């Protein structure tokens, strides 16, 4: 074990960590702030109501990481508890590998949002391991459930028709609460359910806290059924059953009976409500979408299996591999698939074999060590909370393999934070000293010169995050103007959006469409310029080839228009207008046979869609 003596930085930097509070405590506060705010904050004036969650995630993780860097520089060393190294090692390697693949990726601009999000989640996992101890776990779970209780109460208000916001009824009878999406709300309830059960089953808690936690757990189970996720119901039941089995093995007497009764009631309420009030039997479009998307993703992986195309780039490459049935399932053409709803496949597609190996290493070691800790006689006194964290982590792995929730700020951040807390519990041993691996900084007493660049970079990144948030507000306003045919106002707002924003590519595409629709002097050339910019970042973005072909046709650049429309029908072979337009373009080139074939395909596609409508 290496160590160095703590020394003051001196000079112009006061000992603000000592004067205000421990810098380690500031890290914990930052992470707990995220645990509460990420699930409950939303903002309906942005294009994406969850954009505020993404911004909070970026700023919160940036703040925590910056504090860790400054604190480590202040003490002259980077400290890593030796006991958590089995978890930190694969996570750190994955952070480094993702950064390397991103730098070498061909799709950096398009992938930036996804890359930043993945790095933020992994850094949160690492900071949780470095900042919390096992004695903190009960308090941390109470704080997590503070945010969860707000989502449950608001979800119940939605169910009762008391939602005061303009998005009331956005998903029909499906409940989405503050998460903005029924699937994400279901994922969040699944993660917090075992934690609520552990709090309610701890006999040392005040009776009021136990009763409130139990009542909200039952309410959450009821609301889970109203998210209408069939596969999610199975995961919820499995996580609850696992909690019952573990509690039965680890608890005694009345606590065991209470855990059995409460957990069983949650499972029964969820299953009964889902069966009783679910929609009439019909083909499950979610299951069909998932299987078809997985098949397309496997084809994508086969073309680049070893190194991937860079973190966050799945959605850029996927259109070339999207299967025809997806269009029938979604019932539209101008669409985008951001994630394959399987973290294993997305890690492989984005980060290649090394990335998926590191991801498997991380969660395999975590779950294995967590399982061993549950039945370790030396660590049994607070095993009820370890049980909750373990069941939540097992449920999160199930979610990662069947949904896209882990790729979003909420519930994705909580998945990695809970995993970090489980790692803290799994690493703790009462009979072993808390040894620390210390990596001293080589600059000695002059190390305080690092404060300014660290703070400068942090403020630059924070400013960029806020500008991107503002871009999402502008994007929402611009779309409103465009739909109202206020072209000049729409273009002004689109032009002000920042590169790197999640909606930036969409803004270039929409800007091209505005020029294309307005059709004034020079507008078609301007539209082509925007479409070329879109393709430089995302070569097959939604219907960019269709739109570009329209602009080229209006400029009488027929051969180029044919080329782009042919690309469009290869990407989407069941889009009737594209075949009809292509037939017209072939006629203009004098290729009557190809024009006839394109019209036949348009008729065949039209008949297929008509048959699909009749079968519903």
């Amino acid at each position: 074990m290496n160590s160095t003596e703590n020394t003051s930085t001196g000079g112009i930097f006061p000992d603000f960590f000592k004067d205000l509070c421990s810098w380690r405590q500031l890290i914990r506060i930052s992470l707990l702030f995220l645990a509460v705010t990420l699930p409950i904050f939303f903002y309906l004036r942005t294009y994406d109501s969850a954009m505020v969650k993404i911004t909070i995630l970026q700023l919160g993780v940036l703040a925590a990481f910056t504090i860790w860097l400054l604190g480590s520089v202040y003490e002259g060393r980077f400290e890593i508890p030796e006991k958590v190294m089995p978890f930190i090692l694969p996570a750190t390697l994955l952070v480094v590998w993702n950064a390397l693949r991103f730098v070498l990726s061909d799709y950096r601009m398009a992938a930036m949002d996804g890359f930043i999000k993945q790095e933020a989640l992994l850094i949160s996992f690492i900071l949780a391991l470095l900042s919390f101890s096992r004695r903190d776990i009960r308090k941390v779970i109470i704080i997590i459930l503070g945010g969860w209780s707000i989502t449950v109460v608001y979800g119940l208000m939605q169910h009762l028709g008391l939602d005061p916001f303009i998005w009331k009824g956005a998903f029909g009878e499906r409940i989405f609460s503050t998460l903005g999406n029924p699937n994400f709300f279901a994922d969040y309830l699944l993660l917090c359910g075992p934690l609520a059960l552990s709090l309610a089953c701890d006999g040392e808690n005040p009776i009021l806290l136990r009763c409130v936690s139990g009542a909200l757990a039952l309410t959450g189970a009821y609301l889970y059924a109203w998210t209408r996720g069939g596969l999610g119901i199975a995961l919820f039941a499995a996580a609850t059953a696992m909690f019952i089995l573990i509690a039965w093995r680890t608890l005694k007497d009345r606590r065991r009976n209470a855990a059995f009764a409460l957990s069983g009631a949650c499972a029964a309420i969820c299953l009964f409500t889902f069966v009783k009030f679910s929609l009439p039997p019909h083909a499950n479009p979610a299951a069909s979408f998932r299987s078809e998307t997985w098949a397309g993703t496997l084809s994508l992986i086969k073309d680049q299996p070893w190194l991937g195309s860079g973190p966050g780039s799945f959605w850029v490459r996927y259109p070339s591999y999207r299967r025809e049935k997806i269009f029938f399932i979604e019932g539209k053409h101008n669409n985008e698939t951001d994630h394959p709803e399987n973290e294993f496949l997305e890690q492989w597609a984005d980060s290649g074999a090394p990335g998926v190996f590191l991801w498997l290493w991380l969660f395999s070691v975590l779950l294995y060590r967590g399982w061993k800790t549950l039945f370790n006689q030396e660590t049994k006194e607070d095993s009820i909370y370890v049980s909750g964290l373990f069941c939540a982590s097992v449920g999160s792995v199930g979610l990662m393999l069947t949904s896209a929730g882990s790729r979003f700020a909420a519930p994705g951040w909580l998945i990695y934070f809970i995993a970090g807390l489980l790692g803290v519990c799994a690493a703790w041993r009462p009979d072993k000293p808390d040894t620390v691996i210390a990596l001293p900084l080589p600059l000695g007493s002059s190390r305080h010169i690092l404060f300014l660049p660290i703070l400068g970079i942090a403020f630059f990144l924070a400013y960029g995050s806020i500008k991107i948030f503002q871009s999402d507000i502008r994007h929402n306003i611009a779309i409103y103007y465009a739909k109202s045919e206020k072209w000049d106002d729409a273009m002004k707002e689109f032009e002000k959006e920042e590169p790197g924003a999640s909606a930036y590519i969409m803004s270039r595409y929409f800007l091209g469409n505005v020029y294309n629709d307005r059709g004034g002097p020079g507008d078609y050339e301007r539209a082509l310029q925007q479409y070329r910019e879109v393709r430089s970042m995302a070569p097959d973005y939604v219907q960019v080839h269709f739109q570009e072909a329209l602009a080229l046709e209006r400029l009488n650049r027929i051969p180029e228009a044919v080329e782009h429309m042919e690309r469009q029908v290869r990407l989407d072979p069941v889009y009737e207008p594209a075949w009809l337009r292509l037939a017209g373009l072939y006629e203009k080139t004098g290729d009557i046979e190809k024009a006839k074939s394109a019209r036949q395909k348009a008729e065949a596609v039209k008949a297929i869609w008509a048959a699909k409508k009749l079968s519903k």
Side-chain angles (χ1 to χ4, degrees):
M1 178 181 71
N2 298 322
S3 64
T4 59
E5 183 180 355
N6 291 351
T7 59
S8 172
T9 58
I12 61 174
F13 295 100
D15 292 340
F16 58 91
F17 291 118
K18 289 183 178 178
D19 294 338
L20 297 178
C21 62
S22 164
W23 62 270
R24 293 177 176 83
Q25 181 66 10
L26 288 176
I27 295 174
R28 288 191 283 269
I29 291 171
S30 299
L31 295 176
L32 293 175
F33 174 78
L34 291 175
V36 175
T37 57
L38 281 177
I40 66 175
F41 275 40
F42 57 87
Y43 188 65
L44 298 178
R45 292 190 178 184
T46 48
Y47 176 73
D48 180 359
S49 62
M51 190 64 199
V52 68
K53 300 180 188 292
I54 297 171
T55 306
I56 291 173
L57 169 68
Q58 293 172 350
L59 295 178
V61 175
L62 177 62
F65 186 65
T66 302
I67 293 168
W68 177 75
L69 285 177
L70 292 174
S72 299
V73 171
Y74 170 80
E75 293 189 347
R77 62 183 181 178
F78 294 102
E79 290 186 351
I80 303 174
E82 188 175 11
K83 59 189 179 183
V84 298
M85 276 301 293
F87 312 118
I88 285 183
L89 181 59
T92 303
L93 290 175
L94 188 53
V95 168
V96 173
W97 174 251
N98 281 343
L100 178 63
R101 282 301 296 122
F102 177 77
V103 170
L104 300 177
S105 173
D106 295 327
Y107 311 106
R108 288 187 295 276
M109 182 63 73
M112 185 179 297
D113 178 64
F115 164 70
I116 292 174
K117 224 175 288 180
Q118 278 299 289
E119 296 292 77
L121 300 182
L122 289 166
I123 289 171
S124 298
F125 171 80
I126 294 170
L127 290 176
L129 289 167
L130 295 176
S131 306
F132 292 98
S133 66
R134 185 150 176 163
R135 63 178 175 271
D136 300 322
I137 296 302
R138 176 179 171 274
K139 294 179 181 179
V140 174
I141 287 178
I142 290 174
I143 291 172
I144 291 173
L145 294 178
W148 163 80
S149 63
I150 294 173
T151 68
V152 171
V153 171
Y154 178 49
L156 184 60
M157 290 175 61
Q158 284 186 336
H159 179 61
L160 297 175
L162 302 176
D163 191 343
F165 297 104
I166 60 173
W167 61 2
K168 179 179 180 179
F171 292 87
E173 292 184 337
R174 299 182 69 192
I175 305 303
F176 53 90
S177 188
T178 57
L179 280 295
N181 183 296
N183 297 325
F184 297 162
F185 183 45
D187 293 351
Y188 181 63
L189 290 174
L190 175 57
L191 292 171
C192 291
L195 304 185
L197 292 174
S198 67
L199 195 67
C201 295
D202 184 359
E204 297 181 5
N205 285 330
I207 186 65
L208 179 61
L209 178 61
R210 296 173 61 195
C211 289
V212 170
S213 182
L216 288 173
L218 293 170
T219 306
Y222 175 75
L223 293 176
Y224 196 106
W226 285 96
T227 63
R228 298 277 174 79
L231 183 58
I233 296 293
L235 289 174
F236 184 86
T240 307
M242 181 177 293
F243 184 86
I244 294 173
L245 294 175
I246 294 174
W248 194 262
R249 287 280 304 273
T250 57
L251 299 180
K252 297 179 180 179
D253 305 327
R254 288 181 297 177
R255 293 172 65 193
R256 174 192 291 177
N257 295 332
F260 183 84
L262 182 59
S263 303
C266 286
I269 287 175
C270 182
L271 290 171
F272 174 79
T273 305
F274 180 74
V275 172
K276 180 71 175 177
F277 298 103
S278 61
L279 297 173
H282 60 284
N284 187 349
S288 300
F289 174 85
R290 199 176 292 117
S291 62
E292 291 295 324
T293 302
W294 290 355
T297 305
L298 286 171
S299 298
L300 184 157
I301 291 171
K302 288 178 182 178
D303 278 359
Q304 199 169 354
W306 299 112
L307 298 179
S309 54
S313 64
F314 166 82
W315 72 274
V316 181
R317 295 182 61 212
Y318 175 72
S320 297
Y321 301 88
R322 180 164 40 203
R323 292 161 73 91
E324 183 178 302
K325 289 183 180 179
I326 291 293
F327 297 103
F328 295 119
I329 294 169
E330 294 190 326
K332 57 184 180 180
H333 303 272
N334 193 16
N335 55 356
E336 176 185 313
T337 301
D338 293 326
H339 306 284
E341 301 194 15
N342 184 299
E343 186 66 20
F344 174 83
L345 293 178
E346 189 159 5
Q347 287 284 347
W348 200 346
D350 284 358
S351 301
V356 76
F357 169 76
L358 292 169
W359 181 80
L360 288 172
W361 177 9
L362 171 61
F363 281 95
S364 297
V365 171
L366 181 73
L367 294 181
Y368 173 72
R369 293 285 294 271
W371 177 258
K372 288 185 65 176
T373 301
L374 285 172
F375 304 105
N376 189 324
Q377 296 298 321
E378 298 174 346
T379 60
K380 251 188 168 183
E381 68 275 3
D382 59 351
S383 61
I384 187 65
Y385 294 113
V386 183
S387 301
L389 292 170
F390 180 80
C391 292
S393 294
V394 171
S396 71
V397 172
L399 292 175
M400 286 191 283
L401 295 176
T402 56
S403 76
S406 62
R407 290 278 170 161
F408 290 81
W413 182 86
L414 189 62
I415 288 176
Y416 283 84
F417 186 57
I418 287 175
L421 297 177
L422 178 61
V424 169
C425 295
W428 183 74
R429 292 292 181 273
D431 59 335
K432 293 184 179 181
D434 292 335
T435 56
V436 173
I437 300 172
L439 306 174
L441 287 169
L443 298 176
S445 60
S446 62
R447 64 184 180 275
H448 62 271
I449 63 174
L450 296 175
F451 275 56
L452 284 176
I454 291 173
L455 287 171
I457 293 171
F459 280 118
F460 173 77
L461 294 175
Y463 176 76
S465 181
I466 293 171
K467 292 292 288 183
I468 286 173
F469 178 74
Q470 292 174 336
S471 289
D472 218 61
I473 298 175
R474 295 187 185 283
H475 194 75
N476 198 26
I477 296 171
I479 289 176
Y480 168 78
Y481 284 141
K483 288 181 177 179
S484 304
E485 296 187 1
K486 298 179 180 179
W487 307 122
D488 292 338
D489 292 333
M491 287 187 287
K492 287 178 183 177
E493 296 298 328
F494 280 134
E495 289 286 9
K496 292 177 182 177
E497 292 189 37
E498 297 289 329
S502 57
Y504 180 74
I505 296 177
M506 189 189 303
S507 73
R508 303 305 97 183
Y509 175 71
F510 283 169
L511 190 56
N513 290 351
V514 169
Y515 286 127
N516 222 351
D517 291 339
R518 191 175 67 173
D523 277 348
Y524 297 136
E525 290 82 357
R526 296 186 188 99
L528 291 178
Q529 182 180 351
Q530 296 301 324
Y531 295 140
R532 283 194 293 269
E533 185 177 355
V534 169
R535 288 192 291 106
S536 71
M537 296 179 285
D540 296 316
Y541 184 77
V542 289
Q543 291 183 326
V544 66
H545 294 286
F546 181 85
Q547 296 293 341
E548 189 165 357
L550 293 184
L552 288 166
E553 183 180 8
R554 288 161 180 167
L555 290 170
N556 203 32
R557 292 161 61 176
I558 305 303
E560 295 173 79
V562 169
E563 181 182 343
H564 283 283
M565 199 62 79
E566 286 178 339
R567 178 63 179 169
Q568 182 63 47
V569 296
R570 284 197 297 272
L571 294 171
D572 183 354
V574 291
Y575 187 42
E576 182 189 358
W579 285 112
L580 291 174
R581 284 281 183 178
L582 183 58
L585 290 170
Y586 282 144
E587 288 171 350
K588 289 183 179 181
T589 64
D591 197 332
I592 304 303
E593 287 300 317
K594 283 188 176 181
K596 181 179 178 181
S597 176
R599 291 193 183 279
Q600 289 174 344
K601 288 179 179 178
E603 289 297 321
V605 166
K606 183 179 180 180
I608 293 173
W609 280 104
K612 292 285 182 182
K613 289 180 181 179
L614 289 175
S615 64
K616 290 183 179 180

